[in-house]
Amino acid sequence: MANIKSAKKRILVIDKKTERNKAAKTKVKTYVKKVYAAIESGDKASADAALLEAISVISKATSKGIYHKSTSSRKISRLTKAVNKMA
């Protein structure tokens, strides 16, 4: 455990940021699962709706610095490709 006051503060700040990042990543995973569930069910309309929601959540996480731009682009691209393959 740290003895210096600033080091103790950094530990607290890092813990808060870690929790925030973990929550955002979990949210992204949930929305991605919703897209794949809609694809599995074969419902094109719900898959498109789920895709739009997932893209929004991924973009917000990227703008907050949780994901790298390339990572979010890759995720969005794979989801879009999977939904478009349904048609």
Side-chain angles (χ1 to χ4, degrees):
M1 184 64 190
N3 290 325
I4 299 167
K5 186 177 180 182
S6 61
K8 290 178 183 177
K9 180 181 176 184
R10 295 309 308 160
I11 290 170
L12 295 175
V13 170
I14 287 170
D15 287 343
K16 283 183 186 176
K17 285 185 178 182
T18 301
E19 287 301 315
R20 192 177 305 129
N21 290 346
K22 198 180 294 185
K25 285 185 177 187
T26 303
K27 188 173 184 180
V28 167
K29 288 178 188 176
T30 301
Y31 278 88
V32 169
K33 285 179 188 175
K34 286 181 182 179
V35 173
Y36 284 119
I39 291 170
E40 286 292 319
S41 69
D43 188 7
K44 177 76 169 152
S46 67
D48 284 333
L51 176 65
L52 286 176
E53 290 176 351
I55 289 173
S56 174
V57 171
I58 292 169
S59 297
K60 285 178 186 173
T62 304
S63 69
K64 294 178 181 180
I66 295 167
Y67 283 116
H68 190 269
K69 192 171 81 171
S70 299
T71 304
S72 65
S73 295
R74 183 178 65 246
K75 286 180 180 297
I76 291 170
S77 176
R78 287 179 181 170
L79 286 173
T80 306
K81 188 176 176 183
V83 171
N84 288 342
K85 196 183 261 190
M86 287 179 68

